[in-house]
Amino acid sequence: MSQSVFFSTLLTIFFLSFPLITFLQAKNEDFVRSPPGKLVLFPNSRSKSEPQQVHISLVGKDHMRVSWVTEHKHTKSTVEYGTTPGKYNAAVTGEHTSYQYFFYKSGAIHHVTIGPLEPATTYYYRCGGSGPEFSFRTPPSAFPVEFVVVGDLGQTEWTSSTLKHVESKDYDVFLLPGDLSYADTHQPLWDSFGRLVEPYASRRPWMVTEGNHEIEIIPIIASDGFKAYNARWRMPYEQSNSTSNLYYSFEVAGAHVVMLGSYTDFDLQSDQYKWLKADLMGVDRKRTPWVFVLVHAPWYNTNTAHLGEGESMREAMEELLYEARVDVVFAGHVHAYERFTRIYNKKVDPCGPVYVTIGDGGNREGLALTFQNPPSPLSLFREPSFGLGRLRVVNETHAHWSWHRNNDLDSVEADQLWFQSLSTNSNCWQSSGSSVSSINDHDEL
């Protein structure tokens, strides 16, 4: 046995024996969690040259990035694709990278951008010239469009349940507001996670942002954060004029989606703040009536878990989102579901975003069971259960949000509402911050 394999095996035993250890993240927490779910591991069943961990992501309005891993370092970074099964009339060659983390060395991580592609069209593709054929459908170019929103996914029995419920109903784009694999420095868990999500992430684009479990810093030994995340989950940050894979934006049909980074600088002098300001100013709400934002640490939270952890980011950036009339802000981190009314500066405001915490995808740490009492009048629905969200943007003016509890054998719609785009609320676009009548109907915002 080589030294590399020996130490990797030791680390595997160590982390599986003590699954809740995370370097530089462990701290005394006084909130209550349910028992964690059982870890589910997915070994590689394919040859070293065949693709594994295949996933896709959007690049611009008509391209798709195909990413995968091979254990063989010399496999071609080529994707063949077409609209007929087994017949590929186009091929594109991209690039591959790899990284080393402590005694672990990744396989070849391939990234290939294909296109231009037609909207709402099914494409069949093969990676690296061998292995199974995959297929995906591109999102539509116009409404309606449907997003699935799942935070803090992990790889437990609950994760598997959530993903099966996701797949039970069709959708266009998967949004993940941080905490993907819960590898927490144990790199083989990144590979296992990639194999777990491949049946889903190879069929629909997955757009993700980082959480605290992606940081993976160990002093001296591994001082660079987000090494695995940036290598494996490359997002289209260049296309939105961002300089970091940790924050970016993209558009689908008439929706502008902003992915923010909770764990990189966000103060008023930071690159992220300046980028966000320019990005939001560049949105034409007549052409793109909806704006959604995803961030990991919630800015509003009444669970006893992680109280106040998003406050400094809220203080820095909330005004930008409010002035841009962002429609909804989704967050993870807290392992429970909570939906707030429209808020600005800790008060009900009909021109502020709806805030939703949805960090309940299936993590191995368990659910955060305790909410503050009495409940805040800003919080309209809260429940510590595993689940997923569906956001169906029907047209330029209306969208439907629903949260589906997955603790049951069948997915149950436990919370839902219709809301109207702020782009169509003329009162919210007056030059001065005029007061608007408060919201009385909580079933439609």
Side-chain angles (χ1 to χ4, degrees):
M1 179 183 293
S2 70
Q3 186 183 51
S4 173
V5 173
F6 172 74
F7 279 108
S8 179
T9 302
L10 279 182
L11 286 173
T12 300
I13 295 171
F14 177 77
F15 275 90
L16 294 184
S17 300
F18 304 97
L20 294 182
I21 291 178
T22 57
F23 289 96
L24 295 186
Q25 298 165 21
K27 56 186 176 181
N28 293 325
E29 296 172 326
D30 57 3
F31 56 86
V32 180
R33 289 198 190 278
S34 64
K38 181 181 177 182
L39 189 68
V40 178
L41 298 177
F42 281 76
N44 183 29
S45 60
R46 298 173 189 159
S47 71
K48 291 185 176 182
S49 61
E50 287 185 316
Q52 56 165 300
Q53 307 175 49
V54 179
H55 61 270
I56 61 173
S57 54
L58 300 171
V59 182
K61 69 175 184 178
D62 57 3
H63 285 70
M64 195 80 74
R65 177 178 286 115
V66 182
S67 302
W68 74 97
V69 176
T70 56
E71 294 183 17
H72 196 289
K73 300 295 192 296
H74 302 293
T75 304
K76 296 185 297 182
S77 300
T78 300
V79 172
E80 304 164 279
Y81 65 99
T83 55
T84 302
K87 296 183 179 180
Y88 313 121
N89 55 12
V92 178
T93 298
E95 59 184 14
H96 68 271
T97 186
S98 63
Y99 71 95
Q100 187 159 348
Y101 188 94
F102 204 26
F103 296 108
Y104 171 90
K105 184 160 178 66
S106 74
I109 304 170
H110 306 264
H111 298 290
V112 179
T113 300
I114 63 175
L117 305 172
E118 293 297 320
T121 301
T122 298
Y123 287 87
Y124 301 86
Y125 65 103
R126 185 172 64 177
C127 304
S130 65
E133 179 179 78
F134 298 90
S135 67
F136 65 78
R137 191 187 67 218
T138 53
S141 59
F143 301 121
V145 61
E146 183 161 330
F147 301 91
V148 163
V149 188
V150 179
D152 297 67
L153 194 56
Q155 44 191 313
T156 68
E157 294 170 323
W158 287 116
T159 309
S160 297
S161 174
T162 295
L163 291 174
K164 289 177 182 177
H165 289 312
V166 165
E167 210 60 11
S168 67
K169 181 183 175 184
D170 202 9
Y171 62 99
D172 299 300
V173 180
F174 190 104
L175 303 178
L176 204 168
D179 283 359
L180 283 70
S181 70
Y182 282 77
D184 291 326
T185 75
H186 176 44
Q187 298 307 297
L189 284 180
W190 275 109
D191 295 306
S192 176
F193 176 79
R195 292 187 284 264
L196 165 66
V197 303
E198 181 190 85
Y200 315 95
S202 62
R203 296 183 61 248
R204 296 291 182 269
W206 277 38
M207 310 305 290
V208 306
T209 189
E210 83 281 2
N212 55 300
H213 287 272
E214 276 72 65
I215 299 174
E216 298 190 303
I217 290 177
I218 302 176
I220 303 174
I221 298 172
S223 57
D224 296 332
F226 308 106
K227 179 176 282 190
Y229 172 80
N230 284 332
R232 295 171 181 271
W233 290 84
R234 187 176 299 176
M235 293 290 112
Y237 67 92
E238 301 99 331
Q239 284 71 24
S240 61
N241 297 316
S242 168
T243 58
S244 171
N245 193 52
L246 303 180
Y247 52 89
Y248 63 97
S249 66
F250 63 95
E251 292 190 355
V252 178
H256 186 83
V257 183
V258 180
M259 312 292 276
L260 295 179
S262 291
Y263 303 98
T264 187
D265 291 343
F266 48 72
D267 60 76
L268 273 61
Q269 305 305 316
S270 67
D271 289 342
Q272 181 175 198
Y273 180 92
K274 295 173 184 176
W275 168 83
L276 175 62
K277 183 176 182 179
D279 183 79
L280 292 174
M281 288 179 63
V283 180
D284 180 354
R285 296 301 287 272
K286 293 182 179 179
R287 184 181 65 86
T288 311
W290 294 92
V291 179
F292 307 115
V293 171
L294 279 79
V295 65
H296 186 62
W299 296 359
Y300 290 94
N301 169 34
T302 69
N303 196 290
T304 57
H306 306 302
L307 268 176
E309 290 186 19
E311 180 63 11
S312 57
M313 191 176 190
R314 182 195 70 81
E315 291 176 347
M317 291 184 159
E318 183 180 27
E319 186 175 0
L320 291 181
L321 271 56
Y322 180 72
E323 290 179 349
R325 300 302 185 246
V326 168
D327 293 292
V328 187
V329 178
F330 297 102
H333 201 38
V334 176
H335 299 168
Y337 173 74
E338 185 167 20
R339 173 172 60 84
F340 293 84
T341 188
R342 294 195 179 277
I343 304 173
Y344 175 58
N345 197 23
K346 300 185 179 182
K347 297 178 181 178
V348 174
D349 193 311
C351 300
V354 173
Y355 285 85
V356 175
T357 300
I358 188 161
D360 54 0
N363 63 86
R364 59 165 168 72
E365 295 176 329
L367 293 164
L369 298 178
T370 309
F371 288 93
Q372 292 179 311
N373 279 310
S376 166
L378 301 177
S379 178
L380 302 183
F381 188 101
R382 54 189 195 171
E383 181 177 321
S385 298
F386 290 110
L388 64 99
R390 294 185 182 273
L391 175 64
R392 182 171 178 80
V393 184
V394 178
N395 52 36
E396 292 80 1
T397 61
H398 283 79
H400 183 260
W401 167 253
S402 57
W403 176 69
H404 302 254
R405 182 193 306 117
N406 290 341
N407 292 34
D408 311 294
L409 182 62
D410 299 317
S411 180
V412 176
E413 183 181 272
D415 181 40
Q416 65 86 31
L417 83 156
W418 285 92
F419 55 93
Q420 184 176 351
S421 171
L422 292 180
S423 67
T424 61
N425 187 338
S426 60
N427 290 327
C428 293
W429 294 95
Q430 297 175 4
S431 57
S432 61
S434 61
S435 64
V436 187
S437 58
S438 61
I439 301 170
N440 295 315
D441 182 1
H442 290 154
D443 292 324
E444 181 172 347
L445 300 179

